[in-house]
Amino acid sequence: MSEKINVGDKAPDFELIKPDGSTFRLQNQLKETNVVLYFYPKDNTPGCTKQACEFRDQYEVFKEHEAEVVGISADSSDSHDEFERSHRLPFVLLSDTGNKVRNLFGVPRKFGIIPGRVTYVIDKDGIVRYIFNSMTKPLEHVKNALEVLKNIEKK
């Protein structure tokens, strides 16, 4: 695991393949919008489904605050594709099968084995403005990220 990313740090750039086969690059997205980058344990589990659906239900509000939501887990692109379709998710889920990006951000594991649930709000300058780490409060990731985005706009 590399060094943990903290608030105020420049977010490390990365590239992952989207389920449609195109490439997502963080720096390219930041040229257009702020990014709410959330790492989650697994598709179609109760907490992860609640979290994804809450991001879906608030997606238009994120767009109003000039932010794109991006989810990352180690699940396959096929799993993400099915998860996106079954829950009508309007944002991209990226497959980090080797946990390279998770490790790049220093996302911890619970009990050393379960992939952590951590959300990062990254502004257009690539600076991490907020980090929320909670396995047991998936809906707070969404609420807190929106509050941070509102404060970014005020500055």
Side-chain angles (χ1 to χ4, degrees):
M1 179 178 295
S2 80
E3 202 158 313
K4 183 179 174 210
I5 302 300
N6 295 301
V7 171
D9 289 350
K10 184 96 168 150
D13 194 20
F14 65 88
E15 287 185 2
L16 288 173
I17 304 301
K18 296 180 186 178
D20 68 6
S22 65
T23 300
F24 173 91
R25 182 171 180 208
L26 180 61
Q27 290 304 101
N28 291 346
Q29 185 64 50
L30 290 170
K31 291 176 185 172
E32 300 173 26
T33 65
N34 300 302
V35 173
V36 176
L37 183 66
Y38 82 99
F39 292 87
Y40 65 99
K42 188 153 183 56
D43 292 342
N44 293 307
T45 56
C48 296
T49 300
K50 279 183 195 170
Q51 183 180 26
C53 290
E54 185 68 10
F55 272 120
R56 175 200 65 203
D57 294 348
Q58 298 297 324
Y59 186 70
E60 288 306 315
V61 181
F62 281 101
K63 296 303 270 185
E64 288 169 16
H65 292 290
E66 297 182 40
E68 184 55 59
V69 175
V70 178
I72 297 180
S73 82
D75 292 304
S76 69
S77 288
D78 288 343
S79 175
H80 286 334
D81 191 44
E82 189 273 324
F83 190 49
E84 283 179 19
R85 279 187 288 112
S86 67
H87 297 288
R88 299 178 323 280
L89 304 179
F91 52 87
V92 68
L93 298 177
L94 300 173
S95 181
D96 184 24
T97 52
N99 291 310
K100 288 183 182 101
V101 177
R102 180 178 290 276
N103 292 338
L104 190 63
F105 276 77
V107 177
R109 292 181 167 275
K110 187 168 182 153
F111 308 121
I113 54 169
I114 301 169
R117 181 187 315 279
V118 180
T119 298
Y120 298 82
V121 176
I122 306 165
D123 70 17
K124 291 179 189 176
D125 294 323
I127 304 301
V128 176
R129 300 293 295 270
Y130 180 77
I131 301 170
F132 186 67
N133 178 356
S134 173
M135 288 294 283
T136 59
K137 299 177 181 173
L139 301 182
E140 283 190 37
H141 287 257
V142 180
K143 181 182 81 132
N144 294 351
L146 278 173
E147 286 302 313
V148 170
L149 289 166
K150 289 174 188 174
N151 289 328
I152 289 174
E153 284 182 349
K154 290 177 187 173
K155 294 182 179 178

